[in-house]
Amino acid sequence: MSMDGPTYTAKLKELRELRKQIAAKEKEEAAAQKRVDAAAAARDELARQRNRIVCDIEGYGKANGETVAKAAGIRPAELAQIAPRLDTTPTDVREARDGVEAPQPTAVREVAEQPTVSESTSALSKAPSAQAPAAEPSDASAELSSHASHEAIDVAEQNAPDPTTVVPAPAQPSKQEAAARVLPSIPEGPEGARFLELAPGLKSTRRRFKQKTREMVFLNTNTGDLVARVNRADKHVRLDLGDRSPGAILDAVLSVAPDTQRIYVTAGNPWHRDEHRYNTLTDAVLAWLSIPSPRWSTDTGQGRDRLAGHFLRARTPVGRFMRADSNDHVEIRSLREWLDQEEDDPALGRDALRALWRALSEHWPDEVVLMGSPGQTGRDLWTRTVPTTGQWAGGYPVMSPELRGLIHATAGQGRVELFAPPGLTQAPELVEYDRTFAYARHTWKSPVGEPRRMTGAAFGALSDSDKKKALFACSHWHVRATVPRGWDHIGLLPAPAPGDRDWHYPAGAGAVFETWASGPEVYGAVTNHLQPWKIEILDGLVWQEGKPLDDWSKKLQAAWAGLKSRADLHGDPRERAVAYLASRAVRAILLQGIGSFASRPGMVTGTARVGEHLPDGVEIIGEHRGVITWQRRTEATDERNSHPEWPMYVWGGARYALLDTNMKGDKVHVGALYVPRDALVAARTDALTLTMDPRWPYHGKPGEYRKKGHLIGPVPWPTTEAELLKLQGEGRAALRTAQAGGAT
């Protein structure tokens, strides 16, 4: 295009005018953005004040969630995220709501393929390959940076591409990111200091009274076979259970054993009898518990029993009933809580609990009472191990409600995940490896007392050796993690997923996410032998190390070892079966006992006829044919024994052990990171399902991987939990058959 001199001059003048206008608009935009930022900061501060008030209100036992939500100007679902105790949404409504509103995207950002800002950290050298014994990892500090280190980036490195660099978050998060669950953090200033304080006057002390025993019977609802103790003699009868409704079962059992207070259903699952008519098992259980009876109604506790009402659980519900014409209060429970399986012979179930009681009594003489659940029993036994001498003779202090709430929100439990590599629809075989008595491996030390806060800046100021010590201490860390480019294995750290307390494990190369994780997990992510992850410490909590669970755990391990030896060596097949089931019950006591330290208020459900007295504080969730269904949030379990920091540390250690366990005696590492990515089918808390047999060494010690199932294929690759459980059952049966036949 040709242009003469005057036109050129005119165009330059026009450009200068536009430049001035653009500059003016940029100033206007900057000023407007400044006002927007200031308004957003003010709004966020007001929201934090609102959330603090909501959390304070949560401690008031009579607080009404709907009233609080309306006063705060937020939806009930948002209120439940801030203060879970105020969520009174019915279970079925909550499930339906979460299914509609829960967003699918995660809180993970994919790193753009572009030059990025490098942090001033050095790279780790790789350890030996998975086929060789792994050497001791190098210092974690080599790949750890503090939050403050971002402010001191070496200018000379700014243009150097780094495949493990954290990319700054975009100025405006996407809708997917905005919808993802965001974990809480420790506030700054005086409020943050209040988080770290101990709860005044609350300590876990030694229990000296003996629990009250309950008369219990064992019932197979498929056959009607009942085993009970009547007039100091064992009685085995077959009952007519009619329609197997709660009322029919209670009438039949008490006609034979009138002093019964607890019925253990060993097989039959009567609460699932009409499951085909309902969308979920929970709905079927609720319908079964709500079947009206002319003589029985939901136990209201007569104003004294805080746990009155039914526990609405899909597979192990608890029904609590009372008879109007007497003082009979009877529970119907599943023996699966103890044995993790059904048992057709109720006498075998009874003998297993007797063997359990005898094994425990060797370590707790004259103190053992088997309560309704393994968790209740475990915590009761633990209170009898609180020391009477030494530093904690007065009892173990309880942390502030704020910090306990933070741990509840930021510490997930066991890892449950299905792996489905693209393009694979069949597996050549399925091999299940299970960590024996896994949690017992992680109870030898636990966090105690008042924690010390370690900010990112404080962590960054530590020496390399002190950084390593901090991570190996009883600690909990708020981090920003980056999955390195080129990563082609499963995720290493739990991250918040959309939904109520859901977790996932980001593994996409270049993904960046914030989360909380235990010290072993953080250290393992940095030093894993495949490819170190970059971890930025944002904040952390470090406790004094103690042994509050050690004595309790050692006694349970001794009881378990004795029963396991009997199960392996006894000459009578029935005695071997009894000992095996009793050993499973010891495992349940430890597993659920640990979890009970993190227990929170739950929901109980009940029914009543129209016009009958309802317990205080209930919410009516339905009425059908003159029967009202109600629910009520229970109060928190005794706060004196509230220690979520203990299961937090056990769960974190167990999650990392699922990835990497050091078999020091065999000089080899085992776990998910020591098999190819495509060989992983599933992880389930303390077990891995693989498409190959790595033949890991096993010596029968807690925490070691034991081959539990082997199914020769090809078999369809499981894509749902139900499919996996079905194939696992087949694999375990096949392995038992092969072992019985002498096959390897």
Side-chain angles (χ1 to χ4, degrees):
M1 176 181 176
S2 61
M3 180 179 293
D4 56 18
T7 303
Y8 171 70
T9 302
K11 292 295 183 184
L12 288 178
K13 183 179 180 180
E14 187 178 354
L15 284 176
R16 292 187 185 101
E17 288 297 325
L18 289 172
R19 181 189 67 191
K20 293 178 182 178
Q21 294 176 23
I22 291 172
K25 293 300 180 185
E26 286 177 344
K27 289 181 180 179
E28 290 180 15
E29 181 184 12
Q33 185 62 50
K34 190 174 182 179
R35 291 193 296 272
V36 170
D37 292 343
R43 177 205 62 204
D44 292 343
E45 177 57 33
L46 291 172
R48 282 192 288 270
Q49 293 180 24
R50 176 199 66 199
N51 293 350
R52 287 195 291 269
I53 293 173
V54 169
C55 290
D56 291 339
I57 291 175
E58 184 183 20
Y60 178 56
K62 296 183 180 180
N64 181 278
E66 292 184 1
T67 303
V68 175
K70 186 175 181 180
I74 56 178
R75 295 182 299 116
E78 294 176 282
L79 179 71
Q81 293 292 328
I82 301 169
R85 289 180 62 180
L86 298 181
D87 183 8
T88 57
T89 310
T91 301
D92 55 345
V93 175
R94 186 184 306 121
E95 291 175 351
R97 176 199 69 197
D98 292 344
V100 172
E101 295 185 359
Q104 296 305 313
T106 67
V108 177
R109 297 192 302 274
E110 294 297 329
V111 175
E113 294 293 335
Q114 59 185 21
T116 56
V117 179
S118 173
E119 292 184 308
S120 55
T121 55
S122 58
L124 286 176
S125 59
K126 286 190 176 181
S129 66
Q131 282 70 32
E136 288 299 315
S138 56
D139 287 349
S141 56
E143 273 293 317
L144 285 166
S145 63
S146 72
H147 184 54
S149 68
H150 261 311
E151 305 301 324
I153 296 174
D154 188 345
V155 175
E157 296 181 350
Q158 288 188 0
N159 295 322
D162 184 349
T164 59
T165 294
V166 175
V167 172
Q172 295 297 327
S174 67
K175 292 182 180 179
Q176 294 182 353
E177 290 171 324
R181 184 164 56 99
V182 178
L183 297 180
S185 59
I186 305 173
E188 300 297 334
E191 186 177 356
R194 187 177 63 167
F195 266 56
L196 307 185
E197 295 174 354
L198 298 174
L202 280 182
K203 283 189 176 182
S204 301
T205 56
R206 192 180 187 95
R207 183 169 288 172
R208 301 185 182 280
F209 67 89
K210 189 172 182 178
Q211 293 287 355
K212 190 176 181 180
T213 60
R214 298 278 186 103
E215 291 294 329
M216 61 186 75
V217 300
F218 300 81
L219 175 68
N220 181 334
T221 60
N222 281 333
T223 62
D225 287 337
L226 175 77
V227 173
R229 190 162 182 82
V230 181
N231 296 326
R232 298 185 179 182
D234 290 338
K235 191 170 186 176
H236 188 168
V237 297
R238 176 160 292 185
L239 303 176
D240 179 1
L241 300 180
D243 62 358
R244 297 197 305 157
S245 65
I249 291 173
L250 291 163
D251 285 340
V253 169
L254 268 72
S255 68
V256 174
D259 295 329
T260 298
Q261 295 170 290
R262 182 177 297 140
I263 300 172
Y264 278 119
V265 175
T266 65
N269 295 332
W271 37 81
H272 293 164
R273 65 176 197 173
D274 294 325
E275 63 179 283
H276 61 281
R277 297 173 52 191
Y278 299 92
N279 293 328
T280 68
L281 284 179
T282 303
D283 291 339
V285 170
L286 176 58
W288 182 82
L289 290 169
S290 303
I291 296 174
S293 168
R295 285 170 293 279
W296 296 92
S297 61
T298 302
D299 193 344
T300 62
Q302 298 178 341
R304 297 188 300 272
D305 185 0
R306 291 183 178 180
L307 294 180
H310 311 308
F311 277 121
L312 193 61
R313 299 192 293 242
R315 299 191 180 278
T316 56
V318 179
R320 293 190 174 99
F321 301 92
M322 57 186 291
R323 192 156 67 179
D325 59 352
S326 70
N327 197 34
D328 292 332
H329 297 258
V330 187
E331 284 185 333
I332 300 179
R333 308 184 73 113
S334 172
L335 194 61
R336 182 187 288 269
E337 284 186 84
W338 291 89
L339 309 182
D340 196 29
Q341 67 182 52
E342 286 196 345
E343 181 48 60
D344 291 332
D345 182 359
L348 197 62
R350 174 205 59 191
D351 292 348
L353 289 197
R354 284 180 175 176
L356 169 68
W357 181 86
R358 288 193 294 268
L360 295 176
S361 295
E362 293 180 12
H363 306 282
W364 283 276
D366 302 322
E367 292 185 305
V368 178
V369 172
L370 298 185
M371 302 175 72
S373 71
Q376 291 173 312
T377 304
R379 190 157 60 175
D380 178 66
L381 293 176
W382 175 82
T383 62
R384 302 173 194 282
T385 64
V386 176
T388 56
T389 59
Q391 180 180 3
W392 308 110
Y396 292 104
V398 176
M399 296 184 306
S400 69
E402 292 84 359
L403 190 51
R404 280 181 278 150
L406 178 79
I407 292 175
H408 281 308
T410 60
Q413 298 187 25
R415 179 171 185 164
V416 178
E417 189 174 10
L418 285 172
F419 308 109
L424 293 181
T425 59
Q426 286 190 326
E429 57 183 332
L430 287 184
V431 184
E432 181 187 3
Y433 271 84
D434 178 82
R435 293 186 68 223
T436 298
F437 211 20
Y439 283 5
R441 175 80 172 259
H442 306 285
T443 55
W444 65 277
K445 71 174 183 177
S446 302
V448 290
E450 184 175 321
R452 173 169 57 97
R453 184 177 185 180
M454 185 173 290
T455 64
F459 184 88
L462 296 177
S463 66
D464 288 353
S465 61
D466 285 340
K467 287 179 181 178
K468 185 176 180 179
K469 289 178 182 177
L471 292 177
F472 274 106
C474 295
S475 54
H476 191 46
W477 300 95
H478 185 192
V479 303
R480 180 179 293 119
T482 302
V483 183
R485 291 196 182 97
W487 182 259
D488 61 355
H489 217 280
I490 62 174
L492 303 185
L493 296 179
D500 184 24
R501 305 184 189 95
D502 289 335
W503 300 86
H504 66 155
Y505 297 81
V512 181
F513 60 96
E514 285 189 15
T515 191
W516 285 80
S518 67
E521 291 177 290
V522 174
Y523 185 83
V526 171
T527 61
N528 79 85
H529 70 283
L530 296 176
Q531 192 176 2
W533 286 29
K534 182 173 287 297
I535 303 294
E536 181 186 356
I537 298 293
L538 306 178
D539 210 344
L541 295 165
V542 181
W543 283 266
Q544 179 181 345
E545 293 181 6
K547 294 181 176 292
L549 301 178
D550 190 49
D551 185 31
W552 172 74
S553 177
K554 283 179 177 176
K555 289 182 176 183
L556 291 176
Q557 289 179 58
W560 172 82
L563 290 167
K564 184 175 180 295
S565 176
R566 183 179 179 131
D568 292 339
L569 302 175
H570 201 285
D572 185 338
R574 192 177 190 284
E575 288 299 317
R576 289 201 300 270
V578 167
Y580 169 75
L581 292 175
S583 72
R584 296 290 294 173
V586 175
R587 174 185 177 273
I589 288 175
L590 184 123
L591 188 73
Q592 296 182 35
I594 289 172
S596 73
F597 289 110
S599 62
R600 288 174 288 184
M603 281 288 186
V604 292
T605 306
T607 58
R609 295 181 183 85
V610 173
E612 286 185 346
H613 171 72
L614 295 177
D616 294 337
V618 304
E619 177 188 1
I620 297 175
I621 59 176
E623 180 183 341
H624 181 64
R625 294 182 179 177
V627 176
I628 294 172
T629 302
W630 55 262
Q631 68 176 10
R632 181 180 66 182
R633 187 172 290 278
T634 66
E635 295 185 15
T637 310
D638 186 359
E639 280 195 301
R640 291 173 298 176
N641 293 323
S642 179
H643 292 281
E645 68 275 20
W646 297 346
M648 171 203 75
Y649 194 69
V650 171
W651 294 335
R655 284 195 303 270
Y656 187 70
L658 199 67
L659 301 172
D660 187 342
T661 295
N662 186 1
M663 303 281 290
K664 293 183 179 180
D666 299 281
K667 297 182 179 180
V668 65
H669 285 245
V670 300
L673 293 184
Y674 293 86
V675 296
R677 167 66 180 84
D678 289 350
L680 285 165
V681 177
R684 285 183 58 81
T685 306
D686 57 0
L688 293 171
T689 302
L690 313 170
T691 64
M692 56 174 286
D693 189 350
R695 298 185 179 275
W696 289 330
Y698 178 69
H699 310 288
K701 298 179 181 178
E704 294 183 344
Y705 279 96
R706 175 177 66 96
K707 186 176 177 181
K708 193 172 184 178
H710 193 172
L711 188 62
I712 304 297
V715 295
W717 198 288
T719 58
T720 67
E721 184 179 20
E723 293 174 355
L724 174 68
L725 294 177
K726 179 177 181 296
L727 291 171
Q728 281 184 342
E730 294 174 2
R732 294 173 186 178
L735 182 61
R736 286 194 297 268
T737 300
Q739 291 172 338
T744 59

